[in-house]
């Protein structure tokens, strides 16, 4: 499959990006194909102001460097203007209800990207508003990141289906979103985590149902070496996410055997790549030796947030 020449199998009918479980495999591939083409155009110096004159409201209840910069720069490259709004300014769900914010912003702007804690807030905006809503991250899902991840996998492996990814760490929002997108696109995935830190049962069930359709496999593994065996991609994330600071010391002890180091990478395929959504806590979930190795593609992955998110905005807002 050539992403640059991918031919859509159906009409792209999505109005929002809340969770990739809502998307068909074809719709995901349409996003990845557009991302690859927009990236190629940017590298060739070909402008693509397809959202000229539009405005994106960016609501941040959780801070982020990559999310803010990639969305703001990406929307500018698409010809529009991105507006940063902090949690203190809006008081989402406290100073003003989610529903009222959605109704008011629908009169002001052309789309909303929100990075917040509760998935229900993102869904509430979509239900009450009349403009596209993009999930920039919640405690449950991180769809924009995994679109960038799959674009990166394609660039380094030449395919997505038939590969195996091992995600080593907490069964968190990254594990959830990777399980969904991998299982929809025919990639085997192993979530390698300590007992008691498994992904949500609902998401595991979704992923296994997706895998039954795509011909891939989804497994939950508690032994790190078994989990990474024959993996084409080894992926990790921080052990303590925002909102889990009180558990940091406890988690360091529990997750220590799940550090991605040279010994664990040696258990994967010889040509396996290493991925991390960043920021990385070097010396905790990953060693410097791994993240700075030739196997590491973390900075290609970070760059691809820009291109993947441009594709999302272009598909949802260019109507």
């Amino acid at each position: 499959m050539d992403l640059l020449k991918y031919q859509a199998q159906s009409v792209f009918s999505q109005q929002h990006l809340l969770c990739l479980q809502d998307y068909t495999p074809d719709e995901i591939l349409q996003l990845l194909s557009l991302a690859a083409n927009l990236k190629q155009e940017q590298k060739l110096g070909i402008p693509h102001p397809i959202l000229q004159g539009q405005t994106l409201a960016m609501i941040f209840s959780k801070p982020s460097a990559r999310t803010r910069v990639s969305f703001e720069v990406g929307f500018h490259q698409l010809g529009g203007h991105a507006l940063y709004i902090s949690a203190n300014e809006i008081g989402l769900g406290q100073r003003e209800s989610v529903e009222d914010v959605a109704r008011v912003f629908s009169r002001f702007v052309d789309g909303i990207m929100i990075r917040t804690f509760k998935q229900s807030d993102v869904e509430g905006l979509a239900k009450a508003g009349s403009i596209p809503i993009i999930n920039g991250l919640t405690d449950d899902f991180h769809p924009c990141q995994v679109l960038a991840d799959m674009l990166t996998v394609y660039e380094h492996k030449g395919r997505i289906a038939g590969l195996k990814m091992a995600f080593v760490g907490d069964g968190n929002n990254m594990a959830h979103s990777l399980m969904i997108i991998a299982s929809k696109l025919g990639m085997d995935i192993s979530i390698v985590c300590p007992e008691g830190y498994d992904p949500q049962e609902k998401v595991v069930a979704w992923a296994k149902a997706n895998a039954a359709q795509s011909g891939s496999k989804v497994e939950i593994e508690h032994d790190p070496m078994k989990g990474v065996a024959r993996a084409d991609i080894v992926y990790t994330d921080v052990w303590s996410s925002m909102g889990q600071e009180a558990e940091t010391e406890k988690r360091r002890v529990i997750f220590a055997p799940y550090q991605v180091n040279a010994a664990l990478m040696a258990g994967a395929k010889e040509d396996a790549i290493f991925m991390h959504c960043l920021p990385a806590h070097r010396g905790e979930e990953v060693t410097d030796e791994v993240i700075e190795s030739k196997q590491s593609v973390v900075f290609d992955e970070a760059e691809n947030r820009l291109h993947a998110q441009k594709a999302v905005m272009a598909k949802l807002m260019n109507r």
Side-chain angles (χ1 to χ4, degrees):
M1 179 186 64
D2 185 346
L3 276 183
L4 290 170
K5 298 178 181 178
Y6 180 75
Q7 296 295 314
Q9 305 301 305
S10 62
V11 174
F12 187 90
S13 60
Q14 298 294 330
Q15 295 178 302
H16 311 287
L17 177 56
L18 311 179
C19 171
L20 284 169
Q21 185 61 20
D22 301 330
Y23 280 56
T24 66
D26 177 60
E27 288 170 331
I28 294 171
L29 289 170
Q30 286 185 53
L31 287 174
L32 294 177
S33 177
L34 179 55
N37 278 281
L38 289 173
K39 182 174 183 176
Q40 183 181 66
E41 287 183 359
Q42 184 191 340
K43 300 299 183 185
L44 294 173
I46 302 171
H48 36 245
I50 55 181
L51 298 181
Q52 186 75 42
Q54 294 199 37
T55 302
L56 177 74
M58 305 188 302
I59 301 174
F60 283 85
S61 298
K62 287 186 175 186
S64 171
R66 274 157 295 278
T67 298
R68 178 177 179 179
V69 173
S70 56
F71 267 104
E72 192 162 340
V73 171
F75 205 66
H76 172 74
Q77 291 176 358
L78 292 172
H81 172 69
L83 179 66
Y84 176 87
I85 304 165
S86 70
N88 292 336
E89 291 172 301
I90 196 168
L92 190 68
Q94 298 175 356
R95 178 173 173 269
E96 191 167 11
S97 72
V98 171
E99 292 74 18
D100 284 357
V101 169
R103 293 187 186 107
V104 171
F105 276 41
S106 292
R107 308 284 183 106
F108 290 158
V109 300
D110 302 287
I112 296 173
M113 186 285 296
I114 179 168
R115 182 179 171 92
T116 190
F117 293 90
K118 296 188 292 184
Q119 180 71 14
S120 60
D121 286 347
V122 180
E123 294 169 356
L125 288 171
K127 185 176 181 180
S130 57
I131 54 177
I133 307 299
I134 299 170
N135 180 356
L137 175 141
T138 65
D139 287 346
D140 291 336
F141 304 108
H142 198 353
C144 291
Q145 177 65 56
V146 299
L147 287 167
D149 295 338
M150 290 300 151
L151 179 59
T152 309
V153 169
Y154 172 79
E155 289 175 341
H156 285 270
K157 293 294 184 180
R159 61 190 175 113
I160 296 171
L163 299 174
K164 175 185 174 179
M165 173 181 284
F167 176 85
V168 185
D170 190 16
N172 59 12
N173 52 4
M174 281 305 309
H176 291 162
S177 290
L178 285 167
M179 288 169 64
I180 290 168
I181 197 168
S183 60
K184 281 183 175 282
L185 298 183
M187 175 187 285
D188 294 344
I189 186 164
S190 178
I191 304 297
V192 189
C193 58
E195 292 188 24
Y197 293 86
D198 291 5
Q200 293 176 13
E201 291 183 5
K202 172 184 72 174
V203 182
V204 174
W206 287 351
K208 288 189 174 181
N210 297 339
Q213 294 293 317
S214 69
S216 60
K217 297 178 183 177
V218 175
E219 63 179 7
I220 310 300
E221 178 58 65
H222 298 120
D223 183 319
M225 290 305 294
K226 286 183 180 179
V228 303
R230 305 300 298 164
D232 299 281
I233 307 111
V234 178
Y235 198 126
T236 194
D237 188 13
V238 295
W239 293 337
S240 300
S241 300
M242 280 178 279
Q244 298 173 331
E245 289 81 5
E247 301 177 35
T248 298
E249 293 305 320
K250 174 185 175 183
R251 282 171 171 261
R252 280 198 183 112
V253 175
I254 293 171
F255 283 87
Y258 295 81
Q259 181 187 71
V260 179
N261 49 36
L264 191 64
M265 286 297 296
K269 288 184 179 177
E270 188 176 352
D271 63 347
I273 58 174
F274 170 73
M275 303 182 75
H276 194 305
C277 51
L278 301 181
H281 294 168
R282 294 166 180 248
E284 291 188 8
E285 74 274 6
V286 62
T287 61
D288 271 326
E289 183 181 9
V290 169
I291 202 169
E292 295 293 346
S293 71
K294 292 181 179 180
Q295 291 174 282
S296 176
V297 298
V298 299
F299 297 109
D300 292 343
E301 184 183 0
E303 178 192 345
N304 281 336
R305 284 288 299 278
L306 173 67
H307 310 296
Q309 288 162 188
K310 284 169 67 176
V312 170
M313 294 185 287
K315 276 288 188 183
L316 295 179
M317 298 176 69
N318 186 28
R319 298 298 177 103

